Amino acid sequence: MGSVTEEQLVQMVRDFIEAESSEQVPTSDNSLSYQNHNPTCLLTLQQILRETTDIEVEVLQKILKHLKSVEFANDPTNLKKLIVVKLKMDGYEASLCKTSWDFTFDRCNSFQFSGDYEYVDVMVGEKGGVIERRLMVDIDFKSQFELAKPTREYKELRDTLPCVFVGTEEKLAKLNSLLCSAAKESLKEKGFHIPPWRKVTYMQSKWLSKNCEKKYPSYMSNVDLESTQMNI
């Protein structure tokens, strides 16, 4: 992940909030499946991305502003820490989340492996008796759904995804279900086996695992600052 240019930042916002189509999109659970390359699948994806709240757009704009103001090296963890620190300075209740999980490879439970992932979350909403909502922030969202040799239909879906995701757990789960189903069909069409790390349960664990450790970095070390050069 290299430096974020002005053009890329504009595209991130456009990917997230633009409304290109006025066609009606089915809202049933069946609309999340990817069957026979139905163009409705793309419309469904666009519809999910368009359903944003004011606070989601607000947080996204803050993050894009901070990304625009930094040049970062090859350590995405430092960038995530920086985003958390900057959001906290903006007055948001932000934290760095690290999930971990175990995954069974076969039916006999004889082969297991573990995984872990990091992203940012932001708690929004008034406290005094009002339930807070959790916004999940992934600054490298699109790359999580990359396939080596995708079909044209899958590539179109993936290219529609925003580079930076800001949204609720429910929205993320819908996107994950849709893209994993599409990836499955793409791999089958190309004659590839479906690896376990492309299954929806594994991908869901990246963001929604019950084993989630929250960290609240209040500063960045000298090493972090050396590898994350700020231009502000």
Side-chain angles (χ1 to χ4, degrees):
M1 198 173 179
S3 301
V4 177
T5 66
E6 178 75 21
E7 182 179 353
Q8 288 173 316
L9 292 171
V10 172
Q11 187 61 44
M12 289 177 190
V13 178
R14 185 180 296 115
D15 285 341
F16 190 79
I17 63 176
E18 74 176 354
E20 296 180 339
S21 172
S22 60
E23 297 184 47
Q24 293 296 317
V25 179
T27 57
S28 66
D29 290 341
N30 290 335
S31 67
L32 296 182
S33 63
Y34 186 83
Q35 297 177 351
N36 300 324
H37 310 312
N38 192 328
T40 300
C41 189
L42 178 60
L43 296 179
T44 302
L45 176 61
Q46 293 172 335
Q47 178 70 9
I48 295 172
L49 293 173
R50 285 198 297 265
E51 293 175 351
T52 62
T53 62
D54 290 342
I55 188 62
E56 289 175 13
V57 175
E58 177 184 307
V59 171
L60 175 64
Q61 290 175 339
K62 292 286 187 181
I63 292 171
L64 296 182
K65 181 189 73 173
H66 297 317
L67 288 175
K68 181 181 177 181
S69 66
V70 300
E71 294 286 339
F72 50 93
N74 296 323
D75 188 352
T77 299
N78 283 334
L79 182 60
K80 294 169 189 174
K81 289 180 181 178
L82 179 63
I83 291 299
V84 171
V85 171
K86 287 293 187 179
L87 288 176
K88 288 170 70 68
M89 292 173 63
D90 289 333
Y92 297 100
E93 186 181 342
S95 60
L96 185 66
C97 296
K98 182 174 183 178
T99 56
S100 60
W101 63 93
D102 294 320
F103 190 81
T104 302
F105 207 100
D106 59 21
R107 296 178 180 177
C108 299
N109 298 328
S110 60
F111 188 85
Q112 292 184 331
F113 63 96
S114 59
D116 60 76
Y117 193 68
E118 277 192 335
Y119 60 91
V120 175
D121 82 352
V122 182
M123 300 301 295
V124 296
E126 300 180 4
K127 291 187 177 178
V130 179
I131 299 178
E132 291 184 297
R133 285 188 63 80
R134 182 183 186 221
L135 294 184
M136 310 184 77
V137 176
D138 193 321
I139 61 175
D140 196 22
F141 186 67
K142 181 185 289 188
S143 70
Q144 304 308 310
F145 298 94
E146 186 173 355
L147 293 181
K149 296 180 179 180
T151 59
R152 179 181 58 83
E153 292 81 7
Y154 181 82
K155 185 177 184 302
E156 186 176 17
L157 289 175
R158 182 190 171 277
D159 289 347
T160 303
L161 293 174
C163 294
V164 178
F165 172 82
V166 178
T168 62
E169 296 181 6
E170 293 81 7
K171 178 184 288 186
L172 194 150
K174 287 181 180 180
L175 291 174
N176 187 55
S177 176
L178 179 65
L179 267 295
C180 286
S181 179
K184 178 180 178 180
E185 293 299 322
S186 178
L187 290 166
K188 286 173 61 178
E189 185 170 327
K190 291 289 185 175
F192 298 125
H193 291 292
I194 302 169
W197 52 88
R198 283 298 175 188
K199 294 182 181 296
V200 65
T201 50
Y202 183 93
M203 292 291 290
Q204 209 85 305
S205 296
K206 284 188 174 184
W207 301 279
L208 303 176
S209 172
K210 294 181 180 180
N211 296 323
C212 180
E213 178 186 3
K214 285 193 176 187
K215 300 179 180 179
Y216 303 89
S218 57
Y219 65 92
M220 298 190 72
S221 68
N222 291 335
V223 175
D224 292 337
L225 290 174
E226 288 176 2
S227 61
T228 306
Q229 300 175 356
M230 299 181 62
N231 295 331
I232 56 177

